[in-house]
Amino acid sequence: MKLNGSQIIVECLVEQGVDTIFGYPGGAVLNIYDELYKNQDRIRHILTSHEQGAAHAADGYARSTGKVGVCLATSGPGATNLVTGIATAYMDSSPIVAITGNVTNALLGKDSFQEVDIAGITMPITKHNYIVKDVNDLADTIREAFEIARSGRPGPVLIDIPKDVTAAVCEYSPKKIDKTVQFKKLPEIEEEKIKEVAELINNAEKPFIYAGGGILISKSADDLKELADMEDIPVATSLMGIGAFDQSDRLSTGLIGMHGTVASNRCVVDCDLLLALGVRFSDRVLSNHKHFAENAKIVHVDCDIAEIGKNIKVDYPLVMDLKEFFTRLKKYLKPKKNTMWIALVDSWKDVFSENQVSASLRPRYFMEAIYKQTKGDCFISTEVGQAQMWAAQYFTYTKPNRLITSGGLGTMGFGLGASIGTQIGNPEAYVFNIAGDGSFRMNMNELLTIKRYNLPIIEVIANNGTLGMVRQWQTAFYGKRYSQTTLDNNLNYEYLCKACDIDYYEAKTKEEYDNAIKNAIKNRKPCLINAYVALDEKVLPMVAPGKPIDDMLTK
Ligand SMILES: Cc1ncc(C[n+]2csc(CCOP(=O)(O)OP(=O)(O)O)c2C)c(N)n1
């Protein structure tokens, strides 16, 4: 059948099972938007306030549903506004397909109006990208883009389409998509290597698992639990791995790294075998790579060969899919108990606990109150800074993919857009976006998107009147010279909410906070909770950059 480029785009999206996209129109994508208008019953388009919001929304949708998220923007500034969102998705291995319009083929390379080389700009922050100059290549390019985005280690793929291609006509044949097909198959791992790792586990006295986002991506949380139980191994997760292991489990030691728990970080130092599963040894975990797991043999399993030996030398690298690793490993394992080791690890738990006596709102309560009132059954998206870390530390994550946070790029402004994608992908769920007041200012335009689609997102601002995370570093390392981190308190949140027509709650005490959460949950309407937190609350414990991982500041 003969279709034009815009029709092909719609058909290919439908082929991939896409029913929702996030975007913002403009001249170069007018043909595509006209086709979306005619296909509203097949594809829902969510109009954000800013293209960055659309990219983060596609990312939040992808992370919370496991499907590929799609965003669409016009050429020039529309395309460049996606860049932070694409980089965020890239750093956290989130599968999104970004479609951008461009000027017509004839105008490419002439500094035409709203022309930008978005393929060039996004080259280092995409898994792959394309400029489709011929409509005959369009359908297969879109199909390949989706396959690449979701295969192996997922990531963002960008497709740039000149405007004339969206109008040009060619023959189109529908295709049935098999989403299990991998773009590239990894080479087979010899059985001996798996046996070798099983032997290490069978013989270890103080084994420890450091689990990352790879567990979530490969959907192997159940396999991880089975391994930990069978071999009695304590498990920590990276920020991206939160949810890979039930934090209420007796074997969970919680977060690892710069703001990790005492137990996790002590385990790194004391263990004799470190199983690093689906991780990338980020500097936020390693701190000082020379002293990381010095007393242990390190096994690193990951599907991306580029991660092997990048940040730390490992003894047993296995480049393979984690699901396959767990399945093949199982048959060589002998069940055992590490009673003394587990008792030692337990003695490190809760070494650091916060004074909770005061009536004012403190960080632990800030998150625990949400946990209590939702029984943990909600999604938590976050902005970046102290509030993000409190969200990671003080909520008990028991299920995969419930924390939606920018780990790798640390993007202030990520959360509100991401919460939109999360809520759209999970319409029945409770979605909280945990924000600092600084981050809120970066993307508060998206409150209007929340209102437009009546999304019952609960925006919770830890209002400390400062760029708290930076202030914390200025306190610790810059002699309390608070250069440009104090926020003027001239934003009237109540008026803002009125202007956006969303519910507003204010909380200065624990009691007011409890009530705000209760009402927000009950009313299920777009709302904002302005929760006051003291200026100098800290994220603790903290490992200073470059220090050994068990050298933790606790006050
Ligand atoms: C886009 C962007 N700009 C700057 C930073 C650097 N940065 C990291 S945390 C932070 C402070 C965040 O302040 P706020 O959102 O108020 O949260 P708080 O730390 O107070 O909880 C800053 C400026 C960043 N991560 N992202």
Side-chain angles (χ1 to χ4, degrees):
M1 96 186 95
K2 290 251 186 260
L3 296 183
N4 69 34
S6 302
Q7 291 169 323
I8 292 172
I9 292 168
V10 168
E11 291 309 320
C12 285
L13 291 177
V14 173
E15 262 181 13
Q16 296 289 336
V18 173
D19 55 16
T20 307
I21 66 174
F22 305 87
Y24 205 91
V29 284
L30 267 168
N31 293 328
I32 305 175
Y33 271 87
D34 195 44
E35 207 48 44
L36 286 171
Y37 185 86
K38 296 175 194 158
N39 284 278
Q40 291 174 46
D41 53 333
R42 301 168 79 201
I43 296 180
R44 183 182 187 200
H45 179 277
I46 303 294
L47 177 68
T48 52
S49 297
H50 188 289
E51 289 86 352
Q52 185 181 349
H56 292 325
D59 188 346
Y61 180 89
R63 294 185 202 215
S64 64
T65 62
K67 300 183 209 164
V68 176
V70 180
C71 57
L72 171 61
T74 193
S75 64
T80 54
N81 276 348
L82 293 179
V83 169
T84 302
I86 294 172
T88 305
Y90 184 71
M91 290 292 276
D92 289 345
S93 312
S94 178
I96 66 171
V97 168
I99 300 174
T100 49
N102 210 332
V103 299
T104 58
N105 269 301
L107 289 175
L108 279 175
K110 296 180 189 292
D111 291 336
S112 310
F113 176 65
Q114 293 195 328
E115 180 191 1
V116 85
D117 175 12
I118 195 65
I121 290 170
T122 58
M123 188 82 79
I125 53 162
T126 47
K127 202 170 162 190
H128 196 59
N129 69 23
Y130 306 85
I131 308 174
V132 187
K133 293 189 172 174
D134 181 343
V135 72
N136 289 294
D137 299 331
L138 188 55
D140 281 342
T141 303
I142 296 173
R143 288 164 185 152
E144 192 173 275
F146 273 83
E147 202 171 295
I148 291 175
R150 68 173 157 250
S151 284
R153 179 180 185 168
V157 179
L158 179 132
I159 312 170
D160 193 31
I161 311 172
K163 187 170 181 180
D164 51 324
V165 174
T166 66
V169 173
C170 74
E171 188 62 31
Y172 162 83
S173 328
K175 198 172 171 186
K176 242 185 136 0
I177 305 296
D178 177 358
K179 291 189 191 161
T180 59
V181 171
Q182 292 285 307
F183 186 68
K184 269 188 194 153
K185 273 198 89 173
L186 292 167
E188 193 70 23
I189 297 287
E190 299 149 33
E191 204 61 9
E192 276 315 303
K193 295 223 160 116
I194 308 280
K195 270 191 206 165
E196 197 174 27
V197 171
E199 272 315 291
L200 290 170
I201 297 173
N202 289 333
N203 295 326
E205 288 174 8
K206 297 190 283 182
F208 179 51
I209 294 173
Y210 152 36
I215 299 283
L216 300 173
I217 290 166
S218 60
K219 298 190 173 55
S220 22
D222 289 344
D223 308 81
L224 173 62
K225 164 87 178 131
E226 200 183 346
L227 169 64
D229 278 346
M230 192 194 282
E231 297 302 313
D232 211 18
I233 311 178
V235 182
T237 73
S238 64
L239 181 66
M240 296 315 298
I242 282 183
F245 195 72
D246 178 350
Q247 292 186 327
S248 65
D249 193 289
R250 71 175 180 96
L251 289 169
S252 170
T253 62
L255 189 65
I256 194 173
M258 178 176 275
H259 294 299
T261 63
V262 171
S264 295
N265 291 356
R266 290 288 306 262
C267 279
V268 172
V269 176
D270 262 54
C271 67
D272 61 2
L273 175 69
L274 181 76
L275 299 171
L277 308 177
V279 302
R280 63 186 181 88
F281 292 96
S282 137
D283 56 292
R284 280 296 192 264
V285 170
L286 287 186
S287 192
N288 186 327
H289 68 93
K290 291 194 192 118
H291 295 297
F292 191 84
E294 274 176 297
N295 305 312
K297 295 190 178 94
I298 303 180
V299 175
H300 187 191
V301 188
D302 198 87
C303 69
D304 185 358
I305 194 167
E307 290 303 339
I308 305 294
K310 185 170 88 179
N311 296 334
I312 191 171
K313 267 200 179 147
V314 297
D315 306 289
Y316 300 88
L318 289 178
V319 180
M320 65 190 299
D321 174 66
L322 275 159
K323 193 98 193 154
E324 184 194 335
F325 167 72
F326 285 117
T327 312
R328 289 174 60 186
L329 180 75
K330 228 182 330 190
K331 50 184 179 288
Y332 304 113
L333 293 175
K334 296 190 191 105
K336 70 170 158 92
K337 286 272 167 238
N338 302 310
T339 313
M340 273 166 58
W341 170 232
I342 297 299
L344 183 62
V345 174
D346 283 345
S347 75
W348 295 327
K349 287 185 182 171
D350 262 336
V351 168
F352 172 77
S353 66
E354 176 187 82
N355 171 11
Q356 287 295 316
V357 183
S358 75
S360 59
L361 199 49
R362 302 210 54 202
R364 186 186 283 269
Y365 198 86
F366 178 68
M367 290 311 300
E368 283 185 350
I370 299 176
Y371 179 79
K372 271 196 200 123
Q373 294 208 40
T374 57
K375 300 189 178 63
D377 193 9
C378 62
F379 286 89
I380 302 284
S381 65
T382 80
E383 302 294 343
V384 164
Q386 290 182 309
Q388 174 192 31
M389 289 300 119
W390 296 330
Q393 292 176 321
Y394 298 137
F395 190 92
T396 310
Y397 296 90
T398 58
K399 297 191 186 102
N401 305 316
R402 292 305 183 99
L403 175 66
I404 313 293
T405 197
S406 168
L409 200 65
T411 308
M412 289 170 75
F414 168 77
L416 202 50
S419 71
I420 290 170
T422 302
Q423 186 74 78
I424 296 275
N426 304 272
E428 303 305 322
Y430 290 105
V431 179
F432 291 78
N433 182 45
I434 306 299
D437 42 343
S439 297
F440 175 67
R441 291 171 187 214
M442 289 222 172
N443 65 352
M444 60 183 176
N445 50 9
E446 298 304 345
L447 285 182
L448 295 164
T449 311
I450 290 177
K451 179 64 198 172
R452 182 185 174 90
Y453 297 99
N454 243 332
L455 304 173
I457 291 166
I458 304 173
E459 168 81 358
V460 191
I461 301 177
N463 187 349
N464 54 4
T466 179
L467 302 175
M469 184 57 99
V470 183
R471 182 182 172 92
Q472 179 170 339
W473 284 53
Q474 289 172 331
T475 305
F477 312 120
Y478 291 88
K480 301 192 178 176
R481 291 181 297 281
Y482 297 122
S483 179
Q484 305 299 319
T485 44
T486 306
L487 298 171
D488 37 17
N489 259 333
N490 55 10
L491 172 60
N492 187 320
Y493 289 88
E494 190 173 3
Y495 287 1
L496 178 72
C497 288
K498 264 207 183 108
C500 299
D501 193 17
I502 69 170
D503 288 356
Y504 174 70
Y505 304 95
E506 193 168 290
K508 290 201 164 116
T509 62
K510 290 177 180 172
E511 198 186 341
E512 286 168 358
Y513 188 57
D514 282 342
N515 284 335
I517 295 172
K518 192 164 97 197
N519 288 322
I521 288 174
K522 189 175 80 197
N523 294 341
R524 263 192 101 63
K525 277 158 68 185
C527 73
L528 182 151
I529 302 176
N530 176 17
Y532 287 92
V533 173
L535 180 71
D536 273 312
E537 285 289 5
K538 302 274 183 300
V539 180
L540 295 169
M542 175 177 182
V543 181
K547 294 279 184 191
I549 192 165
D550 62 336
D551 188 351
M552 284 171 275
L553 304 170
T554 52
K555 54 179 189 284

